[in-house]
Amino acid sequence: MFHVPVMDLEELVKHKLLPGHKLIAAVQAGLVQEFVKRDRALALIEGFEAADVSAHLDIIAANKRSGAVPAVEVERAVLVLCSTAEFLPSSPSQFFIESVLPIDARFKYTIDGLEISHRSYALTDGNQSAILLSLSSSRHQLLFEMTFSQKTNIFVSEVMKAAEGVSKRKAPTPEFTWLKPYLNNSASSGSSKPSAAGDHNQNSQQIFTIEGGSPCLVADLIGMSPEGADGGSQTVNSDGGAGGDNFIETGRDVVANRASPSHKGGLGGSLAAEDEADLLRVKDITLDNFALNQSTFYKPAVMPVLAGARESHVQHMMAQRQGSYTHALPLTVFVGTWNVNGVPPSIGLIEWLAVDPEPPDVYALGFQELDLATEAYIFQASNREPEWRAAVLSSLHPAARYVEVKLVRLVGMLLMVLVQEKHAKHVSRVQACTVPTGIMNMLGNKGGVSVSLELYNTSVCFVNCHLAAHVEEYERRNEDYDCICEKTVFVGPSGLQRYIRDHSHIYFFGDMNYRISASPEVNIRKLASAGQYETLLKLDQLNQQRRIGRVFKGYSEGPINFQPTFKYDKDTDSWDSSEKQRQPAWCDRILWAGEGIEQRIYRVHMALKISDHKPVSASFSSQVKVIDQAKYRRVHEEVMKQLDKMENEFLPSVSLSKSEVVLSPVHFLELQSETITISNTGQFPVQFSFIKKLNDEECCKPWLKIHPKSAFIPPGGDCVVRLDVKVDKSSAWVLASGAEQLYDILVLHLDGGKDYFITITGDYVRSCFGSSINALVHLNKPFCEVPVAQLIDLESSAPQKTLELPYAIPKELWYLVDHLHSHALSTEGLFTRPGLSKELCEIRAALDAGMPSRELGVSVHSIAQALLVFLEALPEPVVPCSLYPAALRAAAEGYLPAKQVVSQMPDYHRNVFTYLMAFLNELLVHRHENKLDASTLGSL
């Protein structure tokens, strides 16, 4: 299988170094600012003091020939590098130097807040997964979070050795003149390699946040030598002249009036220690006495935030000007879909995959029902996958050579993406995602498999789906589509999430199972056989749902000029002659979204007859973007210069339509949405993002979803943010027990600006779903009539108010099982066909109100799914977690060990277990009617 690797970090850093300078170690890290972590790279480099680079090289070459020890003094420094790319950079042009920390006498480092003396040190992870490394110099104090790895260990050890070497150095204090080109590069990040010229770029400054995010300016590493060339000290005030204590100002004015520093004698003068303390003191906060508190909820940063404020703006401005440095490359994309009904590939696939005279550049092939064996559903194992993969590889267009980019399978759904060999090196950021939408959105008999990739410089997403079956289940198919779109997430190395909709080109295809909704008077078979497709397509469910805007908004589908693809007798072109006599339909479809895509052909392949579906394919001419690197660098430099100018004149500013959201009462599994409008009131584009608070794993609570989490807003523009609140099995119990409240604070962060806080408050209406068995058996009245205080008491470890004669099992559980026992023992598809979300909410409301479920006019499939949701939402499973290991062992050892495990269960859990086993056994008695077996029921 082919994966295109991102350029190695060490190689990227080496491209940034000048000749004669050596990379010692490099590692990825997260720069912690306030309570935000941003991706950075740290590099320890080595250089020499000499008149010029050629002198370095001559000395090194001579020493190498003679075997002598170098006569030059080694100096080392730490580079902090940042990327303008959305994910890991793939080329040096996307990487720039943000800060430079020379390792001199004023260089210090701490690990996890404890200063380490100069000694050999090896990191051990223990129970930790990351360390906090603080690096400080005369101008910086930076905090990094680094994951434990061999590279981390090497980097930290080498930094310690370098610092120890400084303390033992007998030579004069180094001046670090060799770092000067990197200082230029840290301010002018458009160049791919630092210039060796001696003049400073006029923008060689860093923005620091000293208090509450207020910006002030500090010259970047001016005068690191103890003595300036003129023997004096030099500072720069806000109007560009020489000065002293008045250098630091806060607020907008200092940014608007920012000017370039004045330099003398190479790197310019240095600062005495007492001058530095005065220079960096702002309201009694200095770099010397600044203490990092890892547990603080919110804290100001004393670190550079230049890249964090700039990188998203640079991306946006480069995107606006991409026409200046990109050109379109037309590629042919072949998309195919086939439901193979579990059969092996007994025939060749050339008549499907290689019927066009010219070979496609890209293949995206989706299969459904690849394997119908029970093992495929339960164990995810399949013998069919290698068989069909081999059949595909042997049937590709013979006029080209192909490389497999990605193969992903979920039960019977398989997606293969291949590209011509000549394009393989231009494929990057390959990721896959699987989303099951079967029963309870857990089983993978239905759902979607997706592949995301970067083709040249265009993001492409391929989605192969298999939606719910049966004519009447079009709404369930709509819900499956929603679920796939919501849960298909590709997470990049930096943690940034990309959804299907975030790609430039999207191809959505598969067995969508939409049928033809026709009255009994309409003879579908006769019309289909006569080629009267236009009449039938008006009755096509997918077309109907798209017309009302329910699904596939923004997608296109080519004209259908071929006969329905389903359902046929195997090995024939005859319509279904089985007992069910299923009507023809265009179940297998291919849709697309994105600019620069033109469909050339859309067809069915009638020659392949081994399945009850016919394969479908579409050929597209897709215009992908290709970046001209030389033009890109020129435009990037222009953007950086323009940004430097604008940065001095404007700060981001937004207004919120509301900063407090009060929710209506929130019920279990009922979605509630609110919107907040963010308006850009400034004169500069704004990048906002919702960020996680310190020590939090996500930016919001599990019951809350934010769409979008980040976006760009042009001046005068608005962005509507949707907040979706839904309490499900993962959060129901903590809310029902009172362990947490329906309350959250969202932090809206503006890159380069301040943070805004949005509070979310509401009341959760407790439900029997998410309540424990022990609490429910002690309720002798409808759940909704029980006081909240009593519910919280019953969920505690030592409840005070319990019934003298509690129920043997929860009455809500009895209602559900009794309904299924009375109405569904012989129903085919029970527990394998999902219910409707709307009916699940009706069932939940009825159970909480004490109304028996048999009085509801809902399908037995919704009752069955409600039973599974009820059991899955239990805070402690029927078989307690503490007994899981013993239960698994007992399953392999026989009846007596299993009986012993059951006897160890708490009383009410044992009652529920026995009751459910009796019900499942009753289902197996009727297995000939309901088509259930022990393996299927066991997998639930």
Side-chain angles (χ1 to χ4, degrees), residues 827 829-832 923-924 927-928 930-934 936-937:
T827 301
L830 194 67
F831 292 115
T832 59
L923 285 173
L924 292 176
R927 60 183 175 274
H928 297 296
N930 57 37
K931 308 301 181 185
L932 292 172
D933 55 35
T936 301
L937 293 176

Side-chain angles (χ1 to χ4, degrees), residues 39 81 94 193 207 316 377 511 520 772 794 806 828 897 909 938:
D39 286 343
L81 300 103
Q94 297 174 319
K193 186 181 288 289
I207 298 178
H316 177 69
Y377 288 85
D511 180 4
S772 67
L794 290 173
E828 183 177 349
H909 285 249

Side-chain angles (χ1 to χ4, degrees), residues 18 89 99 123 132 208 267 286 288 293 317 448-449 510 607 667 693 704 756 777 783 817 839 852 886 920:
L18 290 172
S99 305
L123 298 176
L132 290 177
F208 284 67
L267 283 175
T286 68
D288 289 335
N293 184 351
M317 295 167 74
V449 290
H667 297 268
K693 301 176 282 294
L704 178 62
Y756 296 78
V777 296
F783 191 94
V817 173
E839 293 184 348
L920 295 181

Side-chain angles (χ1 to χ4, degrees), residues 565-768:
T565 62
F566 172 87
K567 179 183 186 188
Y568 295 88
D569 289 336
K570 291 184 180 180
D571 300 317
T572 74
D573 290 334
S574 303
W575 304 120
D576 181 26
S577 62
S578 68
E579 180 182 352
K580 295 183 179 179
Q581 294 279 306
R582 289 198 174 97
Q583 295 298 318
W586 286 279
C587 292
D588 310 279
R589 312 289 275 269
I590 299 173
L591 292 87
W592 77 92
E595 297 182 0
I597 301 177
E598 179 183 354
Q599 188 180 75
R600 292 175 173 174
I601 192 167
Y602 194 16
R603 61 202 165 188
V604 66
H605 300 264
M606 299 297 294
L608 285 78
K609 308 175 189 293
I610 60 175
S611 173
D612 57 353
H613 289 249
K614 301 297 183 183
V616 175
S617 71
S619 179
F620 300 90
S621 175
S622 299
Q623 305 287 329
V624 299
K625 292 180 295 186
V626 179
I627 291 180
D628 184 312
Q629 293 296 333
K631 292 181 179 179
Y632 177 89
R633 285 192 291 270
R634 286 197 296 271
V635 173
H636 192 268
E637 290 175 0
E638 293 172 4
V639 166
M640 296 303 295
K641 291 177 182 178
Q642 179 185 6
L643 189 59
D644 284 340
K645 179 180 178 181
M646 297 175 70
E647 197 175 56
N648 296 334
E649 299 174 355
F650 306 107
L651 286 177
S653 175
V654 301
S655 64
L656 306 180
S657 59
K658 50 188 171 184
S659 58
E660 181 178 4
V661 176
V662 180
L663 303 168
S664 302
V666 177
H667 297 268
F668 181 77
L669 286 185
E670 282 194 12
L671 178 66
Q672 188 175 145
S673 298
E674 297 284 343
T675 60
I676 296 177
T677 301
I678 305 174
S679 302
N680 185 353
T681 57
Q683 303 179 55
F684 190 56
V686 169
Q687 169 77 38
F688 77 82
S689 58
F690 288 91
I691 58 176
K692 60 183 181 181
K693 301 176 282 294
L694 198 66
N695 298 328
D696 283 359
E697 295 182 356
E698 298 292 339
C699 65
C700 60
K701 295 293 181 66
W703 42 263
L704 178 62
K705 302 294 182 186
I706 306 172
H707 309 280
K709 287 186 178 179
S710 63
F712 222 97
I713 310 177
D718 299 323
C719 180
V720 178
V721 175
R722 190 178 81 249
L723 306 176
D724 289 341
V725 177
K726 186 177 183 180
V727 176
D728 57 18
K729 61 187 179 184
S730 64
S731 51
W733 185 78
V734 292
L735 295 172
S737 64
E740 291 186 9
Q741 303 296 319
L742 206 66
Y743 175 81
D744 199 5
I745 298 178
L746 305 181
V747 182
L748 176 67
H749 175 73
L750 302 185
D751 278 1
K754 66 177 184 178
D755 294 340
Y756 296 78
F757 299 92
I758 302 171
T759 59
I760 313 293
T761 58
D763 293 322
Y764 174 59
V765 181
R766 290 167 171 81
S767 170
C768 60

Side-chain angles (χ1 to χ4, degrees), residues 163-424:
E164 183 177 5
V166 169
S167 65
K168 297 179 180 179
R169 187 183 182 114
K170 297 180 180 180
T173 303
E175 297 182 1
F176 289 96
T177 56
W178 59 278
L179 286 178
K180 184 176 179 181
Y182 300 108
L183 302 183
N184 294 337
N185 185 250
S186 69
S188 178
S189 58
S191 59
S192 61
K193 186 181 288 289
S195 170
D199 58 316
H200 250 335
N201 183 292
Q202 66 176 2
N203 294 316
S204 295
Q205 303 180 30
Q206 297 282 0
I207 298 178
F208 284 67
T209 54
I210 301 296
E211 283 188 57
S214 300
C216 57
L217 301 179
V218 179
D220 181 17
L221 290 169
I222 301 173
M224 292 174 288
S225 60
E227 293 181 357
D230 57 357
S233 64
Q234 174 112 8
T235 63
V236 182
N237 60 26
S238 59
D239 62 6
D245 293 347
N246 294 327
F247 180 84
I248 297 295
E249 297 183 25
T250 59
R252 179 184 296 264
D253 294 339
V254 68
V255 175
N257 296 322
R258 172 178 163 189
S260 61
S262 173
H263 300 285
K264 295 181 180 180
L267 283 175
S270 64
L271 297 172
E274 59 271 19
D275 293 329
E276 293 177 10
D278 291 338
L279 176 69
L280 296 174
R281 184 177 295 112
V282 179
K283 297 186 179 179
D284 299 325
I285 296 181
T286 68
L287 293 182
D288 289 335
N289 63 20
F290 183 81
L292 295 172
N293 184 351
Q294 300 176 37
S295 63
T296 305
F297 173 79
Y298 183 88
K299 61 190 178 189
V302 188
M303 314 173 188
V305 296
L306 178 61
R310 295 164 66 100
E311 56 194 48
S312 57
H313 297 310
V314 172
Q315 291 176 15
H316 177 69
M317 295 167 74
M318 291 298 292
Q320 287 185 323
R321 298 185 58 182
Q322 62 180 331
S324 303
Y325 57 86
T326 62
H327 65 271
L329 174 67
L331 299 180
T332 301
V333 178
F334 180 101
V335 178
T337 177
W338 193 9
N339 183 320
V340 297
N341 198 31
V343 301
S346 56
I347 60 174
L349 307 181
I350 291 178
E351 293 182 86
W352 177 35
L353 303 180
V355 294
D356 296 320
E358 296 297 325
D361 296 285
V362 180
Y363 276 106
L365 306 176
F367 295 90
Q368 307 84 40
E369 294 189 5
L370 192 80
D371 196 337
L372 299 179
T374 303
E375 291 79 6
Y377 288 85
I378 300 175
F379 303 110
Q380 295 290 317
S382 173
N383 294 325
R384 293 281 185 259
E385 177 183 321
E387 295 175 355
W388 278 99
R389 178 178 179 272
V392 167
L393 295 178
S394 64
S395 302
L396 299 175
H397 204 291
R401 298 179 61 183
Y402 292 89
V403 175
E404 184 179 275
V405 176
K406 191 69 176 177
L407 182 148
V408 57
R409 183 179 64 85
L410 174 64
V411 187
M413 288 172 288
L414 182 141
L415 174 60
M416 290 181 67
V417 178
L418 308 100
V419 300
Q420 282 196 35
E421 195 173 52
K422 64 183 180 181
H423 301 302

Side-chain angles (χ1 to χ4, degrees), residues 41-53:
L42 299 179
L44 177 65
I45 65 171
E46 185 176 274
F48 307 90
E49 295 292 351
D52 52 47
V53 173

